[in-house]
Amino acid sequence: MALIIHQFAIGSDNLGVLLHDPATGRTASIDAGEEAPIAAALQEKGWKLTEILVTHHHSDHIAALTALKQRFGARVVGPLADKHRIPDIDVLVREGDHFMVGSVDFEVFETPGHTVGHVAFYSASEALLFAGDTMFAMGCGRLFEGTPQQMWSSLSKLAALPDATKLYCGHEYTLSNAHFAIRFDANNPELQKRVSEVEALRAKGAFTIPSTIGLEKATNPFLRAGEPALAAALGLAGHPADEVFAALREAKNKG
Ligand code: ZN
Ligand code: FE
């Protein structure tokens, strides 16, 4: 039986996600940014929180961790590398580790770049990826701690997953990412189409997430840094992909 996924807004642009395993009744929250919206979502669905999966240490992802853990007696899974700055982790995980949410197996990918300890969670059987602030729809996280090379290699690892993999991420930044992407990849017909779709979705207040790995490979400029068109748009024709990636991230920082 497949996991049931419930996505909801937290604050202005964070995305909350609950995963419910009907076979066992277990329910996981991806990150724990704010107690009230997560508790309200659990109540609305009639689910009891049993796991919290933590992607990284930023406060918009862990501010309610201790409160939710205590309130529901949930088990916290989080990155070993961030043990010193994420409180209350019960199951410390690193690259290649597996853990279960009820009857469903998840694998851990270390994805340094946005932060050095960042991890993503992947279920092959459910074709689901929870990428936190590493990969966004048509975007990627800011490099607060890692190098462009680290982030490029983290994104490349996630991009190697099957095309049908559903991508969930930490923020609804898709519309502004789309407008950035089209500046550097203007002649990409799939991107042109997606920009209109995303504008229509946001105009009616709908989420643009989940995306898929296949769609990101076709439209996310940060995954397309190896494409000649992207390199040329940045004045870096013939340069290696990680260098093009670094220039693209720099351009995004400038807005
Ligand atoms: Zn973050
Ligand atoms: Fe965040």
Side-chain angles (χ1 to χ4, degrees):
M1 220 183 327
L3 288 176
I4 301 169
I5 299 181
H6 177 57
Q7 183 174 244
F8 53 98
I10 298 182
S12 59
D13 59 44
N14 275 77
L15 292 169
V17 181
L18 294 176
L19 313 178
H20 178 73
D21 177 29
T24 60
R26 295 192 76 93
T27 301
S29 173
I30 306 296
D31 289 326
E34 226 180 282
E35 184 175 359
I38 296 173
L42 286 160
Q43 180 157 28
E44 179 194 330
K45 304 307 272 184
W47 297 340
K48 181 185 174 296
L49 190 67
T50 55
E51 262 91 15
I52 303 170
L53 315 184
V54 181
T55 62
H56 67 296
H57 77 278
H58 286 156
S59 68
D60 62 315
H61 298 258
I62 66 161
L65 184 56
T66 301
L68 284 168
K69 177 180 174 166
Q70 283 171 1
R71 179 162 167 184
F72 294 97
R75 178 179 74 138
V76 178
V77 180
L80 174 65
D82 273 343
K83 186 178 185 251
H84 60 291
R85 55 185 180 180
I86 301 177
D88 295 318
I89 302 178
D90 301 299
V91 183
L92 293 160
V93 291
R94 58 182 169 192
E95 179 77 17
D97 282 352
H98 287 253
F99 62 90
M100 306 293 283
V101 174
S103 57
V104 176
D105 178 80
F106 279 85
E107 179 175 355
V108 176
F109 294 123
E110 290 178 347
T111 57
H114 178 66
T115 69
V116 291
H118 198 294
V119 292
F121 302 107
Y122 173 62
S123 168
S125 65
E126 301 278 319
L128 281 174
L129 174 67
F130 298 96
D133 288 1
T134 297
M135 189 191 296
F136 298 127
M138 290 174 278
C140 73
R142 264 176 196 269
L143 306 183
F144 285 112
E145 299 175 2
T147 64
Q149 287 70 28
Q150 276 179 314
M151 187 58 137
W152 172 247
S153 122
S154 295
L155 290 170
S156 302
K157 181 158 58 177
L158 301 183
L161 294 170
D163 281 357
T165 306
K166 286 187 273 311
L167 169 74
Y168 285 85
C169 55
H171 295 270
E172 174 64 67
Y173 288 156
T174 313
L175 187 59
S176 75
N177 287 345
H179 292 152
F180 174 80
I182 201 76
R183 282 168 51 197
F184 295 94
D185 201 9
N187 298 319
N188 176 346
E190 289 186 77
L191 177 59
Q192 293 164 352
K193 178 166 163 267
R194 192 176 184 195
V195 172
S196 333
E197 285 167 1
V198 159
E199 285 172 345
L201 283 169
R202 293 310 290 155
K204 57 179 184 183
F207 293 130
T208 62
I209 307 298
S211 176
T212 65
I213 289 295
L215 185 57
E216 292 311 312
K217 276 158 59 184
T219 60
N220 188 327
F222 294 97
L223 302 187
R224 290 169 53 74
E227 295 290 321
L230 267 288
L234 285 145
L236 291 171
H239 287 247
D242 62 343
E243 216 178 290
V244 176
F245 170 80
L248 197 57
R249 188 56 256 184
E250 201 49 46
K252 182 73 166 72
N253 293 347
K254 294 187 181 118

